[in-house]
Amino acid sequence: MGSLDFLFYPKSVAVIGASHVPGKVGNAIMRSVTLRFNGKVYAVNVKGGEIEVNGKKFKVYRSIKEIPDEIDVAVIAVPAKFVPDVIDECGEKGVKGAIVISAGFKEAGRADLEEELVKRARKWGIRVVGPNCLGVTNLENGFDCNFNPPERQARPPFGKVAFMSQSGAFGAAILDWAAREKIGMSKFISLGNMADLDESDFMDYLGDDEKTGVITGYLEGVKDGRKFLETAKRVTLKKPVVILKSGRTEAGAKAAASHTGSLAGSYAIYRAAFEQSGVLEATTMRQLFNYAKVLAMQKPAKGDRVAIVTNGGGAGVMMSDGLLERGLKMAELSEETLKKFEEDVKAGKLPAHMSYKNPIDVIGDAPSSRYEIAMRYALEDPNVDVLVVIALFQSPALDEGIIDAVERMKAYGKPIVFVAPGGDFPHKMARNIEQKGIPVYETTEDAVDAVYALVKYGEWLRENGKL
């Protein structure tokens, strides 16, 4: 297929259907694309004239063919019936890619119009995103043709998670949530009806994209089952793929058909395909990001044995329950590890009333130094594959030294998941810990998701000789 870099790293972009009227899609796209993007942007509208957005003035060309420059990508936001002719003009201009925002195709009962759009695009060798989509966003270089304006929908910081969505509205919510949670994203693709480029094409591209560490997606149905299976099997050996599949029920499948014209198919078949190809399936929006966040920040686990260090006994019990309910194991600490704890208790380095069987309960009066001893001993144990650290920061004894102490634990090379329940102060501490590269979750339930993702993806890599 060749690289799709031209869609994410264009040097020049034409917005066809650009508008000076606030609230119009063509105006919102101009505002988004001119905010941070350093490439050339051209406005096209049959009415001509001039547009001012973000304090910059743009001449409006009546046709893309009038632009005195080469154009890499055309963003099309004109009524559906005009799109095939616009594609022809783009072809004459030598455009490589078209992002068709316009709706009114297969999802509205006009499969014939969508087929005509694809026929014209193929004639010229133009690759098409959409139609009926929200746009494409590259957080690295600021190329952003998302028609939701920044004051309504935030953009996350640049990071390792790529997201593709068959639903524009769901995609917008994900971008907003990622921005609020400070989860860095590399690229966002609103797939729309997938008339040409589909989820497998983008999965393939993102699999080779050095800026992307985790591929995530919301899908209602796949366009070509065999192509998806083959692509996913190949890509998941390079990096994790997490999919939230909707249309799991009969009612949901019918809704998907009217939404993007997607045939959801049997959910049992999808589950089997995900299992066979190493795709991690999320069942909720929250789970999708629990998985993505940890896989972006930690190496996959080499086994399923988990140790817990906590200053709250109840939280340790809840975490244990959650792990066992997901089919994971509580690590049985070795005799050597238990002896280390016993000797430290005798020497007065650790209190006699703490529990050092897994979960390791350092007790509510634990300072960061006590946490550090417990974390070290757990990570040094060959029976431990993953460490979960639970910190109830409400305790006045727990000092900020825990931030650097947890960072020092990275030297052991085993995955670590941190849990910090509560309000403003725990949230502030969580942000500081995440800056050190350790993922932090607010609840034990979310942390269970994270550990499960590390173990499950590790299993897939081991089964295929990659870990």
Side-chain angles (χ1 to χ4, degrees):
M1 182 181 69
S3 174
L4 296 176
D5 273 349
F6 59 84
L7 280 171
F8 298 96
Y9 300 92
K11 294 185 177 68
S12 54
V13 178
V15 178
I16 304 174
S19 172
H20 68 279
V21 182
K24 288 261 191 183
V25 168
N27 179 264
I29 294 168
M30 283 295 293
R31 288 180 58 210
S32 293
V33 86
T34 56
L35 198 60
R36 286 183 49 238
F37 179 57
N38 288 325
K40 295 175 183 174
V41 178
Y42 297 94
V44 179
N45 191 305
V46 289
K47 294 175 184 172
E50 191 176 76
I51 290 177
E52 186 173 342
V53 286
N54 296 329
K56 302 169 194 168
K57 288 185 178 177
F58 294 87
K59 176 185 175 179
V60 180
Y61 295 90
R62 294 180 189 278
S63 161
I64 192 170
K65 294 196 287 183
E66 290 181 9
I67 298 171
D69 192 6
E70 289 183 4
I71 301 294
D72 292 326
V73 170
V75 183
I76 302 171
V78 299
K81 63 183 179 180
F82 299 124
V83 173
D85 289 341
V86 167
I87 290 287
D88 274 338
E89 292 188 351
C90 290
E92 288 174 44
K93 185 66 183 168
V95 168
K96 297 178 187 127
I99 299 166
V100 183
I101 308 295
S102 317
F105 293 88
K106 183 172 66 179
E107 85 290 350
R110 290 298 309 274
D112 57 325
L113 195 58
E114 193 161 309
E115 284 164 17
E116 185 61 25
L117 155 64
V118 174
K119 185 176 150 193
R120 305 263 189 115
R122 289 203 172 134
K123 171 185 160 190
W124 297 103
I126 295 172
R127 301 314 306 259
V128 177
V129 183
N132 181 32
C133 75
L134 184 66
V136 163
T137 303
N138 182 349
L139 281 309
E140 182 190 3
N141 66 355
F143 173 56
D144 179 8
C145 60
N146 185 325
F147 69 75
N148 288 331
E151 72 275 8
R152 294 290 184 97
Q153 181 222 289
R155 271 56 167 177
F158 174 54
K160 290 185 178 179
V161 179
F163 183 69
M164 53 183 178
S165 179
Q166 237 173 312
S167 162
F170 187 81
I174 286 283
L175 286 170
D176 242 353
W177 195 19
R180 191 185 69 194
E181 295 298 312
K182 303 284 190 293
I183 294 170
M185 294 186 78
S186 56
K187 293 171 178 71
F188 166 74
I189 306 119
S190 174
L191 296 167
N193 293 4
M194 302 192 294
D196 174 31
L197 290 166
D198 60 25
E199 79 295 320
S200 300
D201 296 321
F202 285 110
M203 186 167 32
D204 201 18
Y205 170 76
L206 294 168
D208 290 328
D209 178 31
E210 290 179 5
K211 307 297 182 182
T212 297
V214 182
I215 301 165
T216 62
Y218 164 83
L219 294 181
E220 291 168 1
V222 302
K223 194 169 158 188
D224 179 335
R226 189 179 296 279
K227 180 181 173 186
F228 176 87
L229 199 58
E230 289 171 358
T231 305
K233 272 183 180 171
R234 189 173 63 252
V235 173
T236 53
L237 296 178
K238 295 191 252 187
K239 57 189 71 167
V241 176
V242 184
I243 300 291
L244 174 56
K245 166 77 175 72
S246 68
R248 297 191 294 269
T249 63
E250 193 180 336
K254 284 178 183 172
S258 63
H259 177 215
T260 53
S262 172
L263 294 171
S266 163
Y267 177 52
I269 292 171
Y270 277 96
R271 287 193 76 173
F274 292 157
E275 195 71 34
Q276 286 170 37
S277 60
V279 169
L280 280 166
E281 186 196 0
T283 55
T284 65
M285 179 173 166
R286 192 176 187 95
Q287 195 172 71
L288 179 86
F289 264 96
N290 288 342
Y291 287 179
K293 179 169 153 178
V294 77
L295 289 164
M297 297 177 81
Q298 295 289 288
K299 291 176 183 173
K302 290 183 176 174
D304 59 359
R305 302 164 300 175
V306 186
I308 300 168
V309 174
T310 179
N311 65 347
V317 173
M318 287 171 64
M319 189 75 208
S320 305
D321 280 346
L323 292 169
L324 294 170
E325 283 164 1
R326 291 292 285 276
L328 305 173
K329 295 190 184 94
M330 291 294 290
E332 202 168 309
L333 299 179
S334 68
E335 289 299 321
E336 190 184 341
T337 301
L338 296 174
K339 201 172 171 186
K340 287 181 190 172
F341 278 113
E342 283 168 14
E343 286 173 357
D344 278 2
V345 169
K346 282 178 192 169
K349 288 183 186 176
L350 293 172
H353 60 288
M354 76 169 270
S355 169
Y356 45 84
K357 291 196 176 158
N358 192 17
I360 302 161
D361 188 352
V362 293
I363 311 297
D365 63 357
S368 63
S369 56
R370 194 184 302 166
Y371 260 98
E372 182 154 8
I373 293 169
M375 290 188 295
R376 276 196 192 284
Y377 291 171
L379 287 165
E380 285 167 1
D381 194 312
N383 295 341
V384 173
D385 299 307
V386 185
L387 176 65
V388 175
V389 182
I390 304 171
L392 300 170
F393 281 110
Q394 293 79 1
S395 165
L398 185 51
D399 56 286
E400 296 197 5
I402 187 75
I403 298 165
D404 291 330
V406 175
E407 186 184 23
R408 287 192 285 273
M409 297 306 111
K410 286 158 65 177
Y412 289 97
K414 292 181 182 180
I416 301 168
V417 173
F418 204 101
V419 190
D424 291 345
F425 183 69
H427 190 72
K428 176 189 153 195
M429 294 295 281
R431 293 285 81 82
N432 291 334
I433 290 166
E434 286 197 334
Q435 282 175 4
K436 304 291 186 183
I438 306 290
V440 184
Y441 294 88
E442 196 175 349
T443 69
T444 54
E445 292 85 359
D446 290 339
V448 168
D449 277 346
V451 176
Y452 178 82
L454 291 170
V455 171
K456 193 77 177 162
Y457 185 54
E459 277 175 11
W460 169 252
L461 293 179
R462 279 201 314 283
E463 282 167 16
N464 288 276
K466 295 288 183 180
L467 186 66

